[in-house]
C-alpha cells in the first residue's frame, strides 16, 4: 500500500497561536484513518488546510503525487479530495435531489455559456446525473425524501445526504469531520456501515476526525493522534489505545 | 382633464415601472440569487446611459451601436468592481458598492469635458450648442408609433419598455432554471459548501455581478431615452434604494416578483401624488412629495412583519435552516 495523502511538517498559525505546529503523517490508500486528539489539538485546522480552505503557513501537503497546499478549495475538491463538515452543510432551501445533483462533476450546464449554447449537452448530462443521484439516494435510504427541501431533514439524515453528495463527486479521498456528532444512535450504525461499504466497493480512502473513540476503534485501520498542533503518535487502534502518551494527552498528565 | 384620468400620465408611470423592473431584475440576480449585497446598482445604470450618450454625441456613433456598448460598459464596470472586492466579506462588499456608485456620480459631476458635468448631457457637445443624443431614438419611436397605429408616444414607449422587460425577465428566468442557476443559489446559501463541492464560487459571483450590472445598463438606456436628458443628479443612491424596495415588496429569489414589486411601487409612488385632501393638505405641497416615501417605508415595515417573503416570495424557503 502506498500513501495517497502526505502531510509534511505543516504549520498553520493564527497570529501568535500555532494551531498546527509541524504535523507530519501519511494516509494509506483505501484505508480508514482516524484523526483524534483532545480539543484544541489542531485537527479541524489541519482538516481545513488539507481541503484548501486554509493555506498552511509552511509545510507541504501532497495528494496522489501532486502538491495541493497552494490550491484553492474548489480545485482540491475537483482533484478528488472532498471534505464534509461537522454539521452537514446541506443546502436547506433546495430539494434533497438538487443537493446531490449539485455535486455532479463537469456539468456543461453549470457554465452560463454552456447552459445557453449547448442545451443538448446540458440536458444529457443532467439526465445521467439524475439517474445517478437517485441511485445514491437509494443507497443511503433517502430516496423517499428526494423532492423534499433538505432543510426538513434531521441532523442524521443530513449526514446521509452529505455522504450521497460526496459520493456523487467520485472522490478518491474523503475527509469526514465528526461524522457521528449529532447523529441519533440508531442512525450511527447505519452511517458506519455505509462508510465501510463505500470503502470496500468504491475503494475510497477516508480520513476521519471523530471524538467518538468507539467509532474510531471500530472503523479505523490506523489512527493518527494529535496534541498541541503536533502528531503524537500513529498506529493501529490497539496500539494507540495502550500508548501512555495518548492517555496523558487525553486525561492530562496529572491523572 | 384631471391628471388622474390622463392616459399619458399613467403611461408614464408604467414606463418608469418598466425601467425600475429592469433595474431591480439586476439586483434580483445579484442578491436574490447570488447573495451579493449591491448598494451601488445606480452606478451601473449611469455607466450605461453615459456611455451611450457620449458615444453618440462626442464620437458620432449610431445609437444602435452605442446602446449595446453602454450595456457592455456597465457589465465591464461590474467585472472591474468585482475582481478586487468580491472576496471581501458581504458587509464590506456592500460598503464598497455604494462608494463605487458615488464615485461614478462624482466623476460625472466633475469631468465636465467628458460628461457635461452638472449641466448634464445638454453640455456634452461644444460650448454654446445644446446637444442631443436622442435623435435616432425619437425617430425609431415615431416610426414604431405609426406602424402600431398608436396615438401617443407615451403608449409606444410603454410597449417598448415592457416588451424588452418581459424578454429580459424570461431570459433571466430560463438562465436561473439551468444547472448554472442551481450553482448560483448554492453559492448564495453556503459558499463554503459550494466550494467543497468543487464550485468556483468567485467566478459565479463575478458573473452574477456583471449580469446584474448589464441589466442596470439597459435600465440606464431606457432612462436616457425616456427623459431625453440626464445629469449626474439623476443617479443619486436613492434610486438604488428604490430598486431594493421593489425587491423587498415583490419578494426575494423570484424573478416574476420583480415586475409585481415595480408596478406596486410605481403606483404607490405616483398615487401618493393625489393626496390633496386633509390631513395631507396640512403639509406644504412641495413637502408632500416626501409623504410617499414615508408611506412606502410604512408598507415595507408592515410587509416585513406580516409577510417577510414579499408579495410573491416563498415563505417556506425563508424559514428553513
Amino acid at each position: 500500500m502506498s500513501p495517497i495523502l502526505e502531510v509534511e511538517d505543516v504549520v498553520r498559525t493564527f497570529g501568535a497561536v500555532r494551531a498546527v505546529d509541524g504535523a507530519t503523517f501519511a494516509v494509506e490508500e483505501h484505508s480508514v484513518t482516524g484523526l483524534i486528539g483532545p480539543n484544541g489539538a489542531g485537527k479541524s485546522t489541519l482538516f481545513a488546510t488539507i481541503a484548501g480552505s486554509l493555506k498552511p503557513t509552511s509545510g507541504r501537503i501532497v495528494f496522489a503525487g501532486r502538491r495541493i497546499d497552494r490550491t484553492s478549495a474548489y480545485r482540491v475538491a475537483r482533484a478528488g479530495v472532498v471534505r464534509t463538515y461537522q454539521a452537514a452543510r446541506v443546502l436547506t432551501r433546495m430539494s434533497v435531489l438538487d443537493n446531490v445533483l449539485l455535486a455532479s462533476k463537469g456539468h456543461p450546464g453549470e457554465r452560463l455559456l454552456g447552459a445557453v449554447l449547448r442545451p443538448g449537452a446540458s440536458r444529457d448530462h443532467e439526465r445521467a446525473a439524475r439517474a445517478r443521484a437517485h441511485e445514491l439516494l437509494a443507497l443511503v435510504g433517502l430516496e423517499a425524501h428526494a423532492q423534499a427541501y433538505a432543510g426538513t431533514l434531521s441532523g442524521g439524515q443530513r449526514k446521509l445526504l452529505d455522504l450521497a453528495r460526496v459520493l456523487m463527486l467520485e472522490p478518491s479521498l474523503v475527509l469526514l469531520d465528526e461524522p457521528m456528532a449529532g447523529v441519533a444512535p440508531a442512525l450511527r450504525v447505519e452511517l458506519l456501515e455505509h462508510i465501510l461499504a463505500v470503502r470496500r466497493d468504491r475503494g475510497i480512502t477516508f480520513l476521519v476526525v471523530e471524538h467518538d473513540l468507539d467509532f474510531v476503534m471500530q472503523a479505523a485501520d490506523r489512527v493518527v493522534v494529535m496534541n498541541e498542533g503536533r502528531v503524537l503518535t500513529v498506529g493501529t487502534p490497539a496500539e494507540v489505545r495502550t500508548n501512555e502518551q495518548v492517555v496523558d494527552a487525553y486525561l492530562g498528565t496529572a491523572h | 382633464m384631471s391628471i388622474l384620468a390622463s392616459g399619458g400620465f399613467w403611461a408614464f408611470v408604467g414606463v418608469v415601472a418598466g425601467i425600475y423592473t429592469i433595474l431591480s431584475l439586476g439586483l434580483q440576480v445579484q442578491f436574490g440569487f447570488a447573495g451579493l449585497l449591491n448598494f451601488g446598482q445606480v452606478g451601473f445604470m449611469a455607466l450605461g446611459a453615459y456611455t451611450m450618450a457620449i458615444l453618440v454625441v462626442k464620437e458620432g456613433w449610431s445609437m444602435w451601436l452605442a446602446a449595446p456598448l453602454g450595456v457592455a460598459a456597465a457589465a465591464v464596470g461590474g467585472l472591474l468592481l468585482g475582481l478586487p472586492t468580491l472576496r471581501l466579506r458581504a458587509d464590506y462588499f456592500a460598503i464598497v458598492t455604494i462608494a463605487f456608485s458615488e464615485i461614478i456620480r462624482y466623476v460625472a459631476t466633475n469631468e465636465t469635458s467628458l460628461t457635461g458635468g452638472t449641466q448634464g448631457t445638454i453640455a456634452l457637445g461644444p460650448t454654446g450648442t445644446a446637444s442631443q443624443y436622442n435623435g435616432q431614438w425619437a425617430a425609431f419611436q415615431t416610426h414604431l408609433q405609426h406602424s402600431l397605429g398608436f396615438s401617443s408616444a407615451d403608449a409606444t414607449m410603454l410597449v417598448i419598455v415592457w416588451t424588452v422587460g418581459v424578454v429580459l425577465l424570461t431570459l433571466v428566468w430560463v438562465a436561473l432554471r439551468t444547472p448554472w442557476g442551481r450553482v448560483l443559489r448554492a453559492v448564495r446559501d453556503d459558499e463554503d459548501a459550494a466550494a467543497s463541492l468543487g464550485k468556483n464560487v468567485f467566478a459565479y459571483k463575478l458573473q452574477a455581478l456583471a449580469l446584474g450590472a448589464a441589466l442596470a445598463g439597459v435600465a440606464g438606456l431606457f432612462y436616457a431615452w425616456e427623459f431625453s436628458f440626464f445629469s449626474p443628479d439623476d443617479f443619486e443612491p436613492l434610486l438604488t434604494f428604490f430598486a431594493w424596495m421593489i425587491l423587498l415588496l415583490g419578494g426575494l429569489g423570484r424573478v416574476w416578483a420583480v415586475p409585481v414589486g415595480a408596478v406596486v411601487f410605481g403606483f404607490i409612488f405616483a398615487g401618493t401624488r393625489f393626496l390633496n385632501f386633509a390631513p395631507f393638505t396640512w403639509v406644504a405641497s412641495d413637502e408632500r412629495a416626501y409623504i410617499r416615501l414615508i408611506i412606502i417605508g410604512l408598507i415595507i415595515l408592515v410587509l416585513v412583519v406580516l409577510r417577510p417573503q414579499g408579495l410573491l416570495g416563498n415563505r417556506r424557503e425563508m424559514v428553513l435552516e
Side-chain angles (χ1 to χ4, degrees):
Chain A
M1 287 226 277
S2 60
I4 189 168
L5 180 78
E6 291 158 274
V7 173
E8 294 170 20
D9 206 21
V10 167
V11 175
R12 169 68 205 204
T13 60
F14 296 97
V17 180
R18 298 176 76 84
V20 179
D21 192 9
T24 300
F25 65 91
V27 174
E28 299 294 329
E29 199 167 2
H30 306 312
S31 69
V32 173
T33 301
L35 181 60
I36 64 169
N39 284 328
K43 308 180 298 287
S44 296
T45 305
L46 187 58
F47 239 46
T49 311
I50 297 170
S53 40
L54 285 178
K55 301 282 169 274
T57 310
S58 67
R60 284 156 47 100
I61 300 169
V62 179
F63 167 70
R66 276 174 48 200
R67 279 187 73 165
I68 56 167
D69 48 79
R70 294 281 166 238
T71 312
S72 43
Y74 80 94
R75 284 185 194 277
V76 171
R78 285 184 193 176
V81 181
V82 179
R83 74 162 297 177
T84 66
Y85 292 85
Q86 192 181 327
R89 302 281 279 265
V90 301
L91 296 148
T92 54
R93 300 201 276 173
M94 287 191 194
S95 74
V96 168
L97 181 64
D98 272 348
N99 263 273
V100 183
L101 285 173
L102 259 177
S104 178
K105 275 169 82 174
H107 200 319
E110 285 187 359
R111 295 171 171 277
L112 186 52
L113 282 180
V116 176
L117 302 178
R118 297 170 57 215
S122 177
R123 254 197 313 277
D124 290 348
H125 188 108
E126 184 77 1
R127 196 173 304 126
R130 226 164 247 275
R132 214 177 118 63
H134 279 295
E135 270 172 39
L136 290 171
L137 285 176
L139 177 78
V140 298
L142 286 178
E143 177 61 20
H145 302 276
Q147 302 304 333
Y149 279 113
T152 61
L153 298 182
S154 72
Q157 286 174 321
R158 289 181 195 203
K159 297 235 170 188
L160 290 169
L161 172 57
D162 208 7
L163 185 63
R165 207 164 62 165
V166 162
L167 294 177
M168 188 78 177
L169 281 161
E170 299 173 6
S172 331
L173 173 63
V174 176
L175 311 173
L176 296 176
D177 195 352
E178 299 200 31
M180 293 300 148
V183 179
L187 269 181
R188 285 186 181 209
V189 182
E190 199 184 326
L191 197 55
L192 173 62
E193 278 170 6
H194 282 309
I195 291 168
L196 293 176
V198 163
R199 195 262 299 255
R200 193 177 58 237
D201 301 339
R202 295 167 203 252
I204 294 175
T205 308
F206 286 93
L207 178 62
V208 190
V209 166
E210 183 54 68
H211 277 297
D212 179 345
L213 289 186
D214 287 342
F215 168 82
V216 176
M217 296 306 163
Q218 241 180 311
D221 312 307
R222 282 164 28 99
V223 179
V224 178
V225 186
M226 281 186 79
N227 190 32
E228 291 174 351
R230 294 163 179 274
V231 173
L232 203 57
T233 184
V234 180
T236 64
E239 287 165 359
V240 165
R241 198 201 296 264
T242 52
N243 184 310
E244 241 171 67
Q245 279 178 296
V246 177
V247 177
D248 283 348
Y250 264 93
L251 300 177
T253 39
H255 65 274
Chain B
M1 191 167 74
S2 143
I3 194 176
L4 254 180
S6 141
F9 174 74
W10 290 111
F12 172 75
V13 171
V15 168
V16 172
I19 295 171
Y20 279 154
T21 296
I22 299 170
L23 184 70
S24 312
L25 178 62
L27 215 50
Q28 185 72 289
V29 171
Q30 292 164 342
F31 183 72
F33 289 95
L36 302 174
L37 269 175
N38 172 15
F39 288 126
Q41 185 71 332
V42 72
F44 300 118
M45 193 176 169
L47 275 178
Y50 267 110
T51 303
M52 185 271 294
I54 289 168
L55 287 175
V56 168
V57 176
K58 285 192 185 290
E59 306 297 323
W61 284 35
S62 157
M63 181 208 74
W64 298 108
L65 275 176
L69 250 291
V71 177
V76 169
L79 290 178
L80 292 180
L81 173 67
L83 278 172
T85 60
L86 274 176
R87 291 182 209 276
L88 293 174
R89 246 174 49 192
D91 38 1
Y92 291 120
F93 175 75
I95 293 167
V96 171
T97 56
I98 195 165
F100 158 80
S101 81
E102 283 294 87
I103 288 168
I104 299 278
R105 193 166 66 89
Y106 277 96
V107 168
T109 308
N110 294 299
E111 284 297 313
T112 310
S113 60
L114 179 69
T115 61
T118 46
Q119 292 186 63
T121 52
I122 205 151
L124 268 179
T127 337
T129 61
S131 19
Q132 228 345 313
Y133 55 81
N134 229 18
Q136 265 179 301
W137 177 261
F140 165 72
Q141 205 181 323
T142 310
H143 173 76
L144 199 69
Q145 187 183 332
H146 291 313
S147 342
L148 292 171
F150 283 5
S151 58
S152 87
D154 294 320
T156 318
M157 190 63 174
L158 186 66
V159 170
I160 299 172
V161 169
W162 277 99
T163 305
V164 172
V166 168
V167 167
L168 291 174
L169 284 161
T170 309
L171 285 176
V172 168
W173 182 71
V174 169
L176 288 168
R177 288 170 65 89
T178 63
W180 177 80
R182 186 166 60 205
V183 177
L184 211 56
R185 281 180 288 135
V187 167
R188 171 194 69 189
D189 289 350
D190 191 338
E191 271 181 43
D192 294 335
S196 62
L197 294 175
K199 309 306 174 201
N200 185 350
V201 169
F202 181 70
Y204 280 93
K205 285 184 176 181
L206 201 56
Q207 288 169 24
L209 185 63
L211 187 62
L215 288 164
V218 176
L221 294 179
F222 279 111
Y223 190 88
W225 291 328
E226 169 66 10
F227 294 98
S228 311
F229 163 82
F230 58 87
S231 73
D233 286 349
D234 290 306
F235 303 108
E236 299 252 4
L238 189 62
L239 212 54
T240 301
F241 291 101
F242 285 171
W244 273 98
M245 289 181 190
I246 287 167
L247 218 58
L248 293 176
L249 276 171
L252 291 173
R254 286 275 183 284
V255 169
W256 297 100
V258 176
V260 173
V263 169
V264 170
F265 176 85
F267 278 81
I268 296 172
F269 207 66
T272 44
R273 182 183 300 257
F274 305 110
L275 298 174
N276 51 357
F277 47 86
F280 300 106
T281 40
W282 300 345
V283 179
S285 63
D286 56 329
E287 285 172 13
R288 221 178 292 156
Y290 293 102
I291 292 177
R292 51 190 178 178
L293 285 178
I294 295 171
I295 291 178
I296 289 172
L298 281 175
I299 290 175
I300 289 177
L301 260 175
V302 171
L303 205 67
V304 165
V305 173
L306 298 180
R307 205 177 158 79
Q309 70 272 35
L311 296 170
L312 287 195
N314 183 332
R315 176 124 200 177
R316 255 175 89 69
E317 280 191 3
M318 284 204 74
V319 296
L320 287 170
E321 276 174 32

